[in-house]
Amino acid sequence: MTKTYLTHLECSVCGAVHPHREVQTVCKPCGKSLLARYNLQQAKKELPKFLAGSSCTSLWKYAPILPVQEEENFISLGENISPLLRLPKLGAELGMQNLWIKDEGQLPTGSFKARGLAMAVSKAKELGVKKICLPSAGNAAGAAAAYAARAGLECMVYMPEDTPSVNIKECQAYGAVIKLVKGNISDAGKAMNEARKSNPDWFDVSTLKEPYRLEGKKTMGYELAEQFDGTLPDLIFYPTGGGTGLIGMWKAFDEMEELEWIGPKRPRMISVQSSGCQPIVKAFSERKNESEFWHYAETVASGLRVPKPFADHLILKAIYASGGCALAVTDEEIVSAVKEIASKEGLFVCPEAAATLVALCHLRSKSDVSATDTVVLFNTATGLKYPEIMS
Ligand SMILES: *Cc1c(COP(=O)(O)O)cnc(C)c1O
Ligand SMILES: [Zn+2]
């Protein structure tokens, strides 16, 4: 199956339509994120629910509702459907019967960034791009460098100088050009944009500044619905940096409803951040639609160290629409939760994922989550990428 139902790109704010057969970044009139749109009415008539009968066991199973036109452009490292695992011991301790974790640590490059970058790199290659660049807190750089190597594209990554060493080493191995920048991912982004002034041929694949990483990450939403036989969980706890996964899953839910694969029920989306960098939590607590730049961002959960998510308005929109909330936890709580999950459930998760368990404990103690609620946490990367955490 190589047919995609992709029809156009649409601005998430002003609605301006952009053609998909050329390279696109952000909305030309207003500068906000573009969203891929599909002919779902046609797809509904032609596609079986959850693509039943497909022999494909990776995210490319969903190719008809993904943006890449030609199968020869699928750049794949084996993005297998990630397991949805029960957390029986932690669930029992919290008095919960339906506690699950979706383990994205098993994806290529050890993090769920593989989903987004598989898609962005495939589409960039299809449209003739030769060089990609991005600022990253670590895992996105590794995934971009890996998929670029596989696709034969050049890759330049800008990372904070205190990025976990594994991320830097893997980028070196993949042959990416690496620039280390003093500060955080925002500083890395500034340095990159400065360099791009004299290198306009570098295509920027920053979070939500090109339309297709989101499409890769939305597959988490499709997989989740399929794994729960067409009923979504009651709550999803999502460790939020740039918000791609949260926004992507929310988009997937709308698409699946239009496809009549699921009903109108939606999970409450719980955005989890670190107390050292919590722009979304602050905006949520003030009932704002946009976040403010978080100064002196610092946390062991490097994927959450995003001082001002570019698509903050879309993150907040999804949280509000879902009846969810945003909350922050401390690094201390995160580190002890990493050990707790590992010793009790045999899963060495990343600190970002550990944050979601801490957040669940907080909401459970306030009775915001009931004993029978079906709850999904996200392990967004393997703990093996964070050797510094255990020292
Ligand atoms: C990037 C990252 C996040 C945040 O993901 P977003 O979709 O950008 O919010 C969470 N956890 C890990 C391990 C990451 O690498
Ligand atoms: Zn616009």
Side-chain angles (χ1 to χ4, degrees), residues 141-292:
Y147 285 93
R150 187 117 178 132
L153 306 186
E154 283 180 63
C155 180
M156 179 145 56
V157 296
Y158 283 74
M159 289 184 277
E161 60 187 6
D162 57 354
T163 299
S165 60
V166 173
N167 296 120
I168 298 169
K169 285 178 185 151
E170 64 175 333
C171 289
Q172 279 167 343
Y174 293 129
V177 178
I178 302 161
K179 308 279 184 192
L180 297 179
V181 178
K182 198 173 158 61
N184 55 48
I185 190 172
S186 293
D187 301 301
K190 274 183 213 143
M192 185 184 89
N193 287 329
E194 206 45 52
R196 281 178 65 228
K197 285 181 188 159
S198 46
N199 295 283
D201 55 335
W202 287 99
F203 179 59
D204 181 3
V205 295
S206 297
T207 300
L208 286 147
K209 290 188 183 173
E210 68 77 50
Y212 302 116
R213 277 174 68 179
L214 185 71
E215 294 305 289
K217 283 238 189 130
K218 85 177 180 190
T219 56
M220 293 190 291
Y222 279 92
E223 288 181 19
L224 207 54
E226 184 177 354
Q227 285 168 321
F228 279 118
D229 292 324
T231 348
L232 296 175
D234 297 300
L235 294 100
I236 289 177
F237 284 70
Y238 186 80
T240 310
T244 330
L246 190 148
I247 300 165
M249 284 192 278
W250 196 249
K251 179 176 190 280
F253 300 155
D254 286 346
E255 290 176 357
M256 284 188 284
E257 187 177 356
E258 202 175 331
L259 288 164
E260 294 178 9
W261 293 359
I262 63 167
K265 187 200 146 188
R266 294 287 184 277
R268 282 158 65 198
M269 303 300 280
I270 314 298
S271 168
V272 183
Q273 299 201 297
S274 160
S275 53
C277 181
Q278 44 168 316
I280 296 298
V281 177
K282 180 163 185 285
F284 176 81
S285 68
E286 295 165 355
R287 287 290 181 273
K288 296 219 169 102
N289 296 322
E290 266 180 43
S291 66
E292 285 161 45

Side-chain angles (χ1 to χ4, degrees), residues 276-346:
C277 181
Q278 44 168 316
I280 296 298
V281 177
K282 180 163 185 285
F284 176 81
S285 68
E286 295 165 355
R287 287 290 181 273
K288 296 219 169 102
N289 296 322
E290 266 180 43
S291 66
E292 285 161 45
F293 191 93
W294 189 271
H295 292 280
Y296 311 109
E298 214 42 77
T299 170
V300 291
S302 47
L304 307 186
R305 195 162 61 136
V306 181
K308 166 78 177 148
F310 180 69
D312 50 2
H313 59 290
L314 296 178
I315 301 172
L316 288 156
K317 201 168 141 186
I319 297 170
Y320 293 132
S322 75
C325 66
L327 71 165
V329 305
T330 67
D331 275 10
E332 229 180 352
E333 291 174 307
I334 287 174
V335 173
S336 80
V338 168
K339 292 175 193 162
E340 199 181 349
I341 299 169
S343 61
K344 290 183 177 149
E345 304 285 7

